[in-house]
Each structure stands twice: as structure tokens, then as C-alpha cells.
Amino acid sequence: MRAVIAEDSVLLRIGLVRVLETAGFDVVAEVGDAEAVLTAVEEHRPGLVVLDVRMPPGFTDEGVRAALVIRKQWPDTAVLLLSQYVEERYAADLLSGDTRGVGYLLKERVADVEEFIDALRRVASGGTALDPQVVSQLLLRRHSDPLDRLTPREREVLELMAGGRSNAGIAAALFVSESAVAKHINSILSKLDLPKADADHRRVLAVLRFLGVG
Amino acid sequence: MRNPLVLRTLLKPFDGAGRAAAFLTAGALVQVAALLVLAVPWLNGGPTRALSVVVAVLVPLALLALASPVLTVVQGARFRGRLGVDIPRPVEVGGATRAERAKRWLRSPTAWRQVQYHLFVGPLIALAGTLTLLAWAAAAVAATVYIWIWALPVEVRVEDIGYTTHAAYVTVAGIAGLYGAAWLSRALARLDTRAALTRLGPSREELLRLRVAEVTESRAGVVDAADAERRRIERDLHDGAQQRLVSLAVNLGLAKATMKDLPEDARKVIDEAHREAKEAITELSNLVRGLHPAVLEDRGLDAALSGIAERAPLPVRLKVDLASRPAPTVEAVAYFVVSEALANVVKHAQASRADVTVERFGGILLVVVSDDGVGGADPSGGTGLAGLAKRVASVDGTFSISSPTGGPTVVTVELPCAP
């Protein structure tokens, strides 16, 4: 699959290219600002775009804005945003439309190469990858009783589930068995009054909606 | 050229007397010009009917009041030029139109203090000054009476003046008169200076008000500069050290993921370095996040606080209720308050949870950070709370803390923000 990278730090760009190539992506363009990434997407029509949030000229949320444009103009292109800090506001913007093929992760997650490659593949194939920090920021704002009824372990599972992981992924992250994860998920869904869904993506959607985004 | 000691002692009383006399002369000239305005209606015998007498008095008075700023400038130049004394400029009255400015000026106490000087003090001193100048002249003539006797032919001389004891008396009286005139000139100059400083310059109250305004402005500048500095440091760390560390961790991660056939020892070293790099990223991120995050400028306080609350290693409940965004400085201080207060909770409170609320009541932004910890926080002890209180005071906010032993601790900060 063709991929485009937009990252203004040259050092990190080199690392990202290597990681994406390791994952089997074909990096067709690397750019350093938000305007150039739109041109590159127009030209190459990649399946995946990896964007830094803070880029020239304003160094605030250029990446988020570019991602929104990409999602609107080329809905089939998956978008993964990387940032030094994740902000729930940007996540809300990003998830306000379709939540398929969207990712928003801390830059430091790239260092856990194997997990990051999982996230890349998930997003590229239409899944979701939200940083656990985004999900816990969203949880900060929800003061509803059902959330208070969750056990700490169930909250962890909820964060990973909202982040877009499959049962197997959650099990691997928490070092528990898949059947234990399935049990936790059933308990969470019933405590939060969410419909049971088998497909990972529909489940993510339900959780995100519960958290007030998507 | 050095005068002998005796001569210097004799001439000492005349030091500055010439300057004072010149100063008084200039003052008399200015006053004559000013008072001429008042005299205009009376030059041709003056009005006779009661009403026109009133008009003839009031109109020139009003003119003088309106023109007093100009007179004040002229007097200021006289003091500066002749005596080297600087009369501070009075506080200016504002106003959009000329008419409005004139109206405000006539109502200001400054105007009437100035008129007092131009109308009473100035003329009185000018009169005294003129008499002093005459005294100078008379004393000079008397002191040099022998020269006159010598120079003038006998026919034009007053009859009984000659080289007599009488003339000696006149000479002595003249010299004494010169000393007296010198003393009088300097005394009048001092008196005039004191009167001008109190009546032409700003009053004490105005000076203080001016000073407070200056200090307030410069403090705001300092606060803004400190904020800008924080932003710059944040930006530098973000673009520099943080990116480098992430890049380092990514490379180590890549090594870990791709070089599977390394000896056990080497893998261990890479693992360790990878972990350390990630910890360094987290530590640096937490530090930088407390400075001035980009999202604060971009999306405001509400958006920025979720990041900091999420980073705290204990559950934080966040409630932010703001209809509109406060000024950037106030936002930065409120952000700093929450950041520091939460850091304190984590360090000292042994709390199981914390609550952060930010609300706006009219012109007040209320920030409350509370926890269920052990209490006993002392703002005079830890530098964290003291720094917090100072930063709050820098924008005229109030800081209070309630932390009985056994808890709970509640930090309350009120920040002024225009509604």
C-alpha cells in the first residue's frame, strides 16, 4: 500500500520511513508541512497518510486540519495523526465524521515498533487507533454513574477497546487471556447499556459515541 | 583663574544671584503679557454697566483658564532655561473632540491650580521681582556714587553731592543694598520654584496615580514577557530535545524489532536503552506540558486542561464551564494554577482523587483544585505554592488555601477577567 508521511522533524521522518517500510508500506512522498501533504495526496492517492499535528507555518493544529481535508476529499484514504501530546479536542474533530480508517497516537508510540505497526495496519484497513491517553482524557469529562461502576480493570479494557483494539490485541496488552477480555467486555457493555456487537469496529463506534465523540 | 580667598568670600552671596535676577526678569515679562489679556476691556476707560463689567471680567478669566496650558509650557521653559529646574508636565485630560477636551480641562483641578499660579502667585512674584530689579539698580547706583561724582561735571550734579562723608554713607548703603538684592532675588526664585512645582506640575495624588498606572503597565509587560518566554522554551524543547528523544526511541525500537538474531547481552542492552528513552520522553513531556502548551493558545483553557488532568497519576475530575475565552494572560495563569496545584497534590497530598473546577462569575474566573489527601499544606513552606500565589498576584488575582491536618485541601484562586 502506498503511504505519505508529513512530519517537519527530519530526524523523526527518517525513523518513520524506516518503520513504515518495515511494515511493508511503500512510502511515495515525505513532506514537512500541511500544504505539501495535500498536494502529495492529490498526486499519489495513497492508502495511508501519516501526519504530525504541529507543523509549519503556525505550529498548532495544522496536521488536524489537513487530516480533516483529506478525509473529506479522499474518504478512502486512511489517516494516522501523530503528536507529542494528544488532545481530546483534536480527537473529537477527527472522529466527528466517519471513524473508519482514523488513528491518533502519541509520537512515542512509534518507538514500540511492533505495536505501532499493528496500529498502522489496523488504520490502513479501515480500523481505528486511538491513543489510550485520548480515551482517558475523554473519560475525565464523563461523570456519569455507569462509568463509576466500572472496575479499574474494566476501565483499562474500555480504554483499549475505544482505542480500536481487537480482543486479541487487548489480551496481549494486558497480559491476560482472550476469554478473560471477552468477559470484561461483556460486563462493560452491559454496565454502559451498549449493544453487543461482534465486529471490532462497530464496538469502537458504540464506545466512542458513549464517550461523546464520533 | 582663581580668585583670592578674600574676594571669593566677599562674592559668595552673589553666586546664582545673576541667574535668579534674569529668571525674575523673564517672569515679569511673561506676566505682563498674560495680564495684558485681562486688561484689554479696560484700556478705553472700561465698561460701565454692571453686566458688561461682569462680562469684561469673566471672559478674559475664561480665556486665561483655557490658555493656561500654553502659559504653563512657557513658564516651564523659563524654569528650565533660567534655573535648570524641571517642572513635571501635568496629567493630560483625554477627550475625542477639542470641545470635549476643553470641557474636561476646565473641570479638572489641574486647570484651577494652574490659574491660581498664572493669576495670583505669578503676578505677585513678578511684582516683587520687579521691585527687586529696581532695588538692584538703586543699590548699584548708590554703591558707585564716587564714580558718578568723578565722572559727572559739576554743573549737572545734584548740589550737595561731593567727596563728603555723606557720599561714603551712600556707598556703604549701596553695597549693603546689592547684598540684599542678591539675597532677595534668590529667595524669590526659590519661592517661585516651590509655587510652580505645586501648582503647575501634577499634584501628589496625580503623581501617585501616574506612578501606579506606569507600574501596572510595566508589570503587565513583565508578565507577558514571562509568558512569551515560557512559550519559546516550550517550542524549543518541542522542536529540539523532544523530537530527538522520540527519534532515538524509534531507532532503538526498530533495532529491537528487526535485529532478532542478536546475542542475549546485546538485546538486553537495547531493551534497557529503549525503556530509558521512553521514560525520558515521558518525563520531559510532563515537564514541557506544564509550561505553555500549544493547545492552550489554539483551543483555550478547557481543551488544554484535559491533557494535564489526564497526565496526573491519580483520578482527576475536571469541570470547566466557560462561555467565552478569557484573556491569554489569564488563561496562562489559570493553566499554571491547575498544573502546579495538581503537581502538589501528587507530591504531598497522598490523595486518592482530585477535583478541578474552572468557572466564570461575571468578571471573575474561579479556579478550585481540591483533593481528599492528608492536608497540612503550608504555602510558606513549599516553593510550589508560594510561586503559585505570586503568579496569581501578578495579574491581581487572589489565592487562598484551606488545608487542615487530615485534609481535605482546597486551593481557591480568583482571577479578574473582563466579562
Side-chain angles (χ1 to χ4, degrees), chain B residues 170-320:
Chain B
V170 171
T171 307
V172 171
I175 290 169
L178 282 176
Y179 278 103
W183 179 84
L184 208 58
S185 301
R186 278 182 291 133
L188 275 175
R190 271 202 304 276
L191 193 69
D192 202 359
T193 308
R194 200 174 308 158
L197 279 173
T198 53
R199 292 193 172 72
L200 296 184
S203 68
R204 215 179 147 69
E205 192 191 339
E206 280 170 334
L207 273 177
L208 280 176
R209 207 181 307 143
L210 215 63
R211 185 83 192 111
V212 168
E214 271 171 26
V215 169
T216 309
E217 196 179 321
S218 72
R219 187 185 61 171
V222 169
V223 169
D224 286 348
D227 273 349
E229 189 62 8
R230 264 188 208 94
R231 270 195 288 270
R232 190 188 63 74
I233 294 171
E234 193 266 349
R235 182 68 191 279
D236 283 359
L237 285 173
H238 178 270
D239 293 347
Q242 282 186 314
Q243 305 294 341
R244 266 175 199 282
L245 270 177
V246 171
S247 164
L248 169 69
V250 169
N251 284 332
L252 288 166
L254 268 168
K256 227 177 106 176
T258 53
M259 296 192 257
K260 300 278 189 193
D261 49 353
L262 283 176
E264 184 62 21
D265 288 357
R267 285 195 60 81
K268 250 186 166 162
V269 171
I270 292 179
D271 266 4
E272 182 68 9
H274 185 236
R275 206 170 47 74
E276 294 255 346
K278 287 200 294 181
E279 275 168 17
I281 292 172
T282 311
E283 266 178 39
L284 185 60
S285 294
N286 286 340
L287 172 79
V288 174
R289 181 78 202 189
L291 287 173
H292 191 114
V295 70
L296 180 59
E297 240 165 296
D298 188 22
R299 301 283 170 107
L301 199 51
D302 193 6
L305 286 179
S306 39
I308 210 161
E310 193 277 331
R311 271 161 190 271
L314 78 169
V316 178
R317 249 213 281 240
L318 185 62
K319 188 169 160 256
V320 184

Side-chain angles (χ1 to χ4, degrees), chain A residues 70-124:
Chain A
I70 293 170
R71 293 192 59 71
K72 207 169 152 206
Q73 292 192 7
W74 302 281
D76 294 335
T77 302
V79 174
L80 176 63
L81 278 169
L82 293 176
S83 182
Q84 204 73 52
Y85 299 97
V86 288
E87 311 288 354
E88 40 120 354
R89 289 305 151 86
Y90 297 160
D93 283 0
L94 208 60
L95 297 169
S96 60
D98 193 354
T99 58
R100 266 179 304 184
V102 180
Y104 184 24
L105 296 173
L106 277 175
K107 273 187 181 172
E108 61 195 73
R109 309 288 180 211
V110 184
D112 292 315
V113 174
E114 277 156 357
E115 276 184 54
F116 180 69
I117 288 177
D118 273 354
L120 275 176
R121 292 199 176 124
R122 201 157 71 232
V123 172

